[in-house]
């Protein structure tokens, strides 16, 4: 019997992977991975101490304006999931994912936790460093009222070039605490922003030790859980010393994301082939990749027209 391939979830993956393989302008930040010894902050200003906190939002006003998408922002909203929002509206429209996602997890106080910040450097080259220190993870099996495990990481915002960095410190995190399928929040790291009435996510995946980035686009009102499986960083918390860096390609602004959306896929379900229709004819060198829900690419096709037949034989 021929296998029938259902495309309701695959369609999202097609849009995602096609975008990720596109031209350079589809990535509004230049991403880089490096390693650096982690240094805890000395005498930071404490935002939250070991007060048993969980699921909180805290206003955060900076001493300098950090430029995000060309907009100078002083006032932010920090959440206890590991990130910061640019404004209330984005908080309401973003599936509760921050603008600067950080290394997002379902953090809570483990009895020895703190969230604080420090500003270093001279005017014009200051760096805001926000630190999540010894934070625990929420677990449905926890009966102590405190988080389990502990993790350390920092968000750095650079005044000079509007760069965003995440620095990973020592951590002891049982993978079961971040297992998405076990009803716990996965580790998602990257950025989230709006473009052309879509949410854009620039996220990082750890595949066999290689920290690579991908760009995803979707309607915030129509998101499948399967998509989030592709957003999980990996089965473990990021390694100590990891540095994830996002740098705007221009000092004063971030280029708008080039979004190319699928218009229609049919027939659905499909057996031998399906037709792919795009809203616009793709740029030269357009490419479509078909991926499994775990992110493994199983086929790649050159896309030159707005309407293309995709062969499914052998998949």
């Amino acid at each position: 019997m021929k296998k029938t391939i259902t495309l309701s979830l695959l369609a999202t993956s097609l849009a995602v992977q096609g975008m990720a393989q596109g031209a350079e302008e589809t990535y509004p930040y230049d991403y880089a991975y490096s390693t650096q010894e982690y240094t805890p902050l000395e005498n930071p200003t404490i935002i939250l101490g070991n007060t048993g906190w969980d699921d909180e939002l805290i206003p955060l006003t900076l001493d300098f304006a950090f430029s995000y998408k060309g907009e100078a922002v002083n006032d932010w909203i920090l959440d206890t999931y590991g990130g910061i929002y640019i404004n209330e509206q984005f908080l309401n429209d973003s599936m509760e994912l921050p603008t600067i996602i950080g290394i997002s997890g379902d953090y809570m106080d483990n009895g020895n936790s703190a969230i604080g910040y420090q500003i270093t450097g001279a005017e014009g080259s200051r760096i805001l460093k926000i630190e999540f220190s010894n934070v625990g993870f929420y677990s449905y099996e926890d009966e102590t009222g405190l988080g389990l495990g502990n993790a350390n990481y920092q968000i750095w915002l650079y005044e000079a070039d509007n760069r965003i960095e995440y620095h990973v410190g020592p951590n002891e995190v049982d993978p079961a605490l971040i297992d998405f399928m076990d009803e716990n929040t996965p580790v998602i790291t990257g950025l989230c922003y709006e473009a052309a009435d879509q949410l854009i996510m620039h996220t990082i995946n750890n595949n066999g030790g290689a920290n690579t980035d991908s760009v995803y686009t979707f309607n915030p009102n129509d998101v499948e859980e399967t998509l989030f499986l592709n957003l999980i960083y990996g089965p473990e918390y990021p390694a100590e010393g990891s540095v994830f860096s996002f740098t705007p390609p221009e000092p004063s602004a971030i280029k708008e994301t080039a979004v190319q959306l699928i218009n229609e896929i049919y027939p659905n379900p499909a057996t031998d082939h399906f037709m792919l229709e795009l809203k616009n004819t793709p740029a030269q060198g357009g490419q479509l990749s078909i991926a499994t829900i775990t992110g493994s690419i199983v086929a790649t096709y050159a896309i030159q027209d707005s309407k293309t037949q995709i062969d499914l034989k052998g998949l």
Side-chain angles (χ1 to χ4, degrees):
M1 179 183 293
K2 291 182 178 179
K3 288 186 177 180
T4 299
I5 300 176
T6 302
L7 299 173
S8 58
L9 299 181
L10 183 59
T12 305
S13 294
L14 290 173
V16 166
Q17 297 295 338
M19 183 176 177
Q21 297 292 333
E24 182 180 354
E25 61 266 26
T26 62
Y27 289 81
Y29 282 85
D30 295 326
Y31 166 72
Y33 172 80
S34 61
T35 58
Q36 179 180 320
E37 183 177 355
Y38 185 84
T39 303
L41 299 185
E42 294 185 5
N43 302 316
T45 298
I46 299 299
I47 300 172
L48 285 174
N50 56 338
T51 57
W53 49 263
D54 180 30
D55 296 349
E56 296 190 36
L57 298 170
I58 307 100
L60 178 64
T61 299
L62 306 189
D63 291 338
F64 63 89
F66 179 80
S67 184
Y68 187 83
K69 292 198 72 177
E71 178 183 355
V73 183
N74 287 92
D75 297 317
W76 297 78
I77 302 170
L78 182 143
D79 74 2
T80 53
Y81 280 76
I84 50 179
Y85 297 86
I86 191 171
N87 55 43
E88 289 279 1
Q89 183 61 41
F90 188 83
L91 188 156
N92 294 331
D93 294 343
S94 66
M95 302 176 301
E96 300 182 355
L97 283 173
T99 312
I100 297 175
I101 297 174
I103 302 175
S104 178
D106 198 350
Y107 299 127
M108 68 177 298
D109 176 24
N110 67 5
N112 189 33
S113 304
I115 302 175
Y117 72 94
Q118 188 177 76
I119 296 177
T120 63
E123 185 175 352
S125 58
R126 288 169 287 189
I127 305 172
L128 169 71
K129 300 178 181 180
I130 301 172
E131 183 172 54
F132 287 73
S133 176
N134 298 317
V135 291
F137 281 74
Y138 177 83
S139 170
Y140 287 94
E141 299 177 357
D142 180 29
E143 298 178 354
T144 67
L146 299 173
L148 300 176
N150 70 75
N152 296 267
Y153 94 92
Q154 298 172 3
I155 300 174
W156 291 17
L157 303 184
Y158 287 78
E159 180 182 24
D161 60 1
N162 303 306
R163 186 178 2 142
I164 300 167
E165 284 185 351
Y166 308 138
H167 292 243
V168 184
N171 57 83
E172 297 177 4
V173 183
D174 185 335
L177 299 180
I178 55 176
D179 182 0
F180 177 73
M181 300 308 292
D182 192 31
E183 298 183 308
N184 296 315
T185 299
V187 169
I188 301 175
T189 183
L191 306 172
C192 186
Y193 39 89
E194 297 168 292
D197 298 322
Q198 299 288 312
L199 279 179
I200 311 298
M201 294 187 66
H202 192 170
T203 64
I204 306 164
N205 304 102
N206 181 2
N207 298 309
N211 292 278
T212 59
D213 61 326
S214 298
V215 171
Y216 297 80
T217 177
F218 47 87
N219 186 317
N221 298 317
D222 184 25
V223 179
E224 299 284 355
E225 283 187 353
T226 304
L227 176 59
F228 276 87
L229 292 174
N230 290 316
L231 301 180
I232 298 175
Y233 171 79
E236 299 179 354
Y237 200 80
E240 179 180 354
S242 296
V243 178
F244 308 110
S245 180
F246 296 87
T247 305
E250 300 175 7
S252 59
I254 297 174
K255 292 185 291 185
E256 289 296 325
T257 302
V259 179
Q260 185 177 67
L261 298 177
I262 291 175
N263 183 51
E264 189 174 4
I265 294 178
Y266 62 89
N268 185 12
T271 53
D272 296 326
H273 69 274
F274 66 86
M275 298 300 299
L276 169 70
E277 285 191 8
L278 302 178
K279 291 185 176 181
N280 301 292
T281 301
Q284 185 177 3
Q287 174 174 297
L288 168 73
S289 294
I290 296 181
T292 68
I293 62 172
T294 61
S296 299
I297 295 177
V298 295
T300 301
Y301 303 87
I303 304 296
Q304 299 177 336
D305 301 308
S306 60
K307 186 174 181 179
T308 305
Q309 178 173 306
I310 303 299
D311 186 7
L312 295 175
K313 294 177 182 178
L315 296 182

